[in-house]
Amino acid sequence: MNSRKIIQVVPYIDSIYGGPPYVAKSLNNLFNEEGYKSKLLTTGRSEKIDNAIFFKLTTTKFWYSYDFMLNSIKCIKNSDTVFIHGLYSFITLWTSVIAFIYSKKIYLLPHGMLDKNSINSSGFFKNSIRKIFLYTFGIFQVKTSNKVIFNSQKEKDNSILVKNSIIIPNGVDLDYINNIKCNKEYFKQDKISLFFLGRLNQIKGIEIILESVNRLDNNIKNKIELVIAGTGDGRYVNFLNDISNNNIVKFIGHVNEQKKYCYLKQCDIYLQPSFTEGLSISMLEAMACKVSMITTNRVGIFEELIKKNAAKVIDYDVDQLGLAISELIFDKNEYKENSYKMVKDRYDWDIVIKFYKELIL
């Protein structure tokens, strides 16, 4: 048993929030499996999690928790190493302050929150608040961290406050995904299934998915169905519904862990045409599920995908996306086999955790 005490801090733990809770939970489990003493500090309690401490959330505004403010100090003080997942929350900022006071090793994982496009992805007011936070509290969090951990070269290159940073990729649990059994069919058997999984946000490229589908020839439209899984701002989701072809497109909201893997395993084409993206967990999960994928040259590993012939990589462009969909429908490819090999060789958590162990030595 390694005596080093580690904590993972993330303000929210529900899988609806995507990458940060997934990575925090994964690292917490992996460090414990490797013999470290690791605890996860978070709020709420949507699911049972081993080696986790849950604090009562006071308000979702800035993710403030009076309970966390009072009762997390002892946990942080007694730790050796602190991993902080994300920014823009009281919980992560408070952790930075207390960990700095007690001279702990601090590692900050921004999960795309320092990405310039992500910072400017909302309206003027929200974008301004983000910038004010980042150039005040954010600078403090970055400067007091031993390292800022980006998940890809793309995320680092497109981010602000990149000094004193390293790159460690995200990972997936390949054994777990391989052992998922699906006892029902999630797509129409007489259709070619297109699938998107992720946060419903403008930077994810959902609008160009819908527009490209609308522009397809009728003979192709009659062959396909498009299922979109995820949640987002209500007004934006309503807008997406308004521009969708209801005969082809179905929005199914958030899907839980096992179910999402069944969708990924059964779909014919996975779509990730992001305007900007680091190393998407959804993308890695799709690759682990052996799916033919279309993505853009704005994602974190697009060069590797091209080199390994592991996905159809296009510009962020409606017409190119439509042509790519048509190509994958009619032409054979080796994307699914090659993308699975990429995950197995480089992005399985059993491989990625070695970089984290070297980091905290």
Side-chain angles (χ1 to χ4, degrees):
M1 172 72 71
N2 193 303
S3 61
R4 187 181 296 274
K5 296 178 182 178
I6 301 169
I7 59 172
Q8 309 283 335
V9 178
V10 64
Y12 32 72
I13 203 61
D14 196 298
S15 59
I16 195 173
Y17 296 107
Y22 172 84
V23 174
K25 285 188 289 186
S26 297
L27 288 178
N28 192 51
N29 291 336
L30 287 160
F31 275 122
N32 280 303
E33 289 172 6
E34 294 287 334
Y36 296 84
K37 297 176 181 177
S38 184
K39 289 285 185 184
L40 176 69
L41 308 188
T42 188
T43 63
R45 192 158 193 170
S46 61
E47 56 183 298
K48 185 180 183 302
I49 301 174
D50 293 333
N51 301 302
I53 301 173
F54 294 88
F55 297 87
K56 184 178 179 181
L57 186 65
T58 305
T59 174
T60 55
K61 294 184 187 300
F62 195 45
W63 294 93
Y64 174 70
S65 168
Y66 181 71
D67 183 23
F68 188 89
M69 183 174 70
L70 289 183
N71 297 311
S72 65
I73 297 175
K74 184 177 179 180
C75 298
I76 298 168
K77 180 181 178 181
N78 291 336
S79 70
D80 299 303
T81 306
V82 180
F83 288 90
I84 300 173
H85 296 267
L87 296 132
Y88 307 133
S89 79
F90 167 80
I91 287 167
T92 53
L93 177 58
W94 182 252
T95 302
S96 290
V97 171
I98 301 304
F100 173 69
I101 290 172
Y102 286 106
S103 301
K104 303 303 175 181
K105 280 191 174 181
I106 305 170
Y107 298 103
L108 177 66
L109 290 81
H111 294 286
M113 296 180 194
L114 294 175
D115 185 288
K116 297 167 190 173
N117 295 116
S118 179
I119 294 166
N120 293 294
S121 63
S122 301
F124 174 78
F125 178 75
K126 195 167 185 179
N127 293 346
S128 299
I129 293 296
R130 286 186 185 130
K131 290 171 185 174
I132 291 169
F133 180 93
L134 289 175
Y135 285 105
T136 53
F137 301 118
I139 287 175
F140 167 79
Q141 289 189 262
V142 167
K143 288 193 172 183
T144 56
S145 298
N146 290 71
K147 291 289 181 183
V148 177
I149 303 174
F150 292 108
N151 60 43
S152 65
Q153 187 66 48
K154 161 66 171 57
E155 185 195 8
K156 180 177 178 178
D157 290 345
N158 208 46
S159 292
I160 63 171
L161 307 177
V162 298
K163 289 184 178 180
N164 195 36
S165 62
I166 59 169
I167 298 168
I168 301 179
N170 291 329
V172 289
D173 187 340
L174 203 54
D175 285 340
Y176 175 79
I177 293 173
N178 286 337
N179 288 318
I180 293 288
K181 305 299 181 186
C182 304
N183 299 318
K184 62 173 283 189
E185 299 293 336
Y186 287 90
F187 297 98
K188 297 175 183 177
Q189 295 306 293
D190 60 341
K191 299 286 186 179
I192 296 166
S193 52
L194 281 59
F195 184 55
F196 169 86
L197 170 69
R199 186 162 49 99
L200 303 190
N201 185 279
Q202 289 174 311
I203 65 174
K204 296 294 185 177
I206 307 162
E207 291 174 46
I208 71 166
I209 293 176
L210 298 173
E211 190 173 347
S212 67
V213 167
N214 288 339
R215 294 185 186 183
L216 291 172
D217 292 338
N218 286 331
N219 68 317
I220 297 179
K221 287 181 181 178
N222 292 333
K223 296 177 186 289
I224 66 172
E225 66 169 325
L226 168 61
V227 175
I228 295 177
T231 60
D233 175 78
R235 285 181 295 180
Y236 184 64
V237 174
N238 290 336
F239 164 74
L240 295 175
N241 272 286
D242 289 341
I243 64 172
S244 299
N245 184 331
N246 294 329
N247 295 320
I248 299 173
V249 183
K250 181 167 70 171
F251 291 85
I252 61 173
H254 176 67
V255 290
N256 64 30
E257 193 167 85
Q258 288 207 342
K259 199 179 205 181
K260 75 177 177 182
Y261 291 127
C262 289
Y263 274 102
L264 288 168
K265 285 171 183 261
Q266 293 179 11
C267 73
D268 295 304
I269 301 171
Y270 178 70
L271 304 173
Q272 186 96 35
S274 303
F275 177 73
T276 184
E277 191 88 56
L279 183 49
S280 163
I281 296 294
S282 297
M283 174 183 286
L284 291 178
E285 289 173 330
M287 295 165 67
C289 289
K290 300 180 181 178
V291 176
S292 294
M293 179 172 64
I294 301 172
T295 189
T296 68
N297 55 11
R298 294 168 176 257
V299 303
I301 55 172
F302 83 89
E303 292 157 317
E304 186 180 1
L305 290 169
I306 293 172
K307 182 179 179 181
K308 300 290 179 62
N309 191 33
K312 180 67 177 179
V313 179
I314 61 172
D315 294 337
Y316 182 80
D317 180 83
V318 172
D319 293 329
Q320 286 195 31
L321 180 55
L323 289 171
I325 291 171
S326 300
E327 178 184 319
L328 265 65
I329 288 174
F330 294 112
D331 297 338
K332 290 184 179 180
N333 62 73
E334 298 178 348
Y335 296 148
K336 61 176 67 176
E337 293 83 6
N338 294 339
S339 62
Y340 179 81
K341 188 175 186 305
M342 266 183 66
V343 170
K344 185 177 180 181
D345 291 345
R346 287 178 57 87
Y347 301 109
D348 188 353
W349 273 125
D350 288 341
I351 296 169
V352 175
I353 193 62
K354 294 175 185 177
F355 298 108
Y356 281 97
K357 289 171 66 178
E358 291 174 6
L359 179 69
I360 65 175
L361 287 176

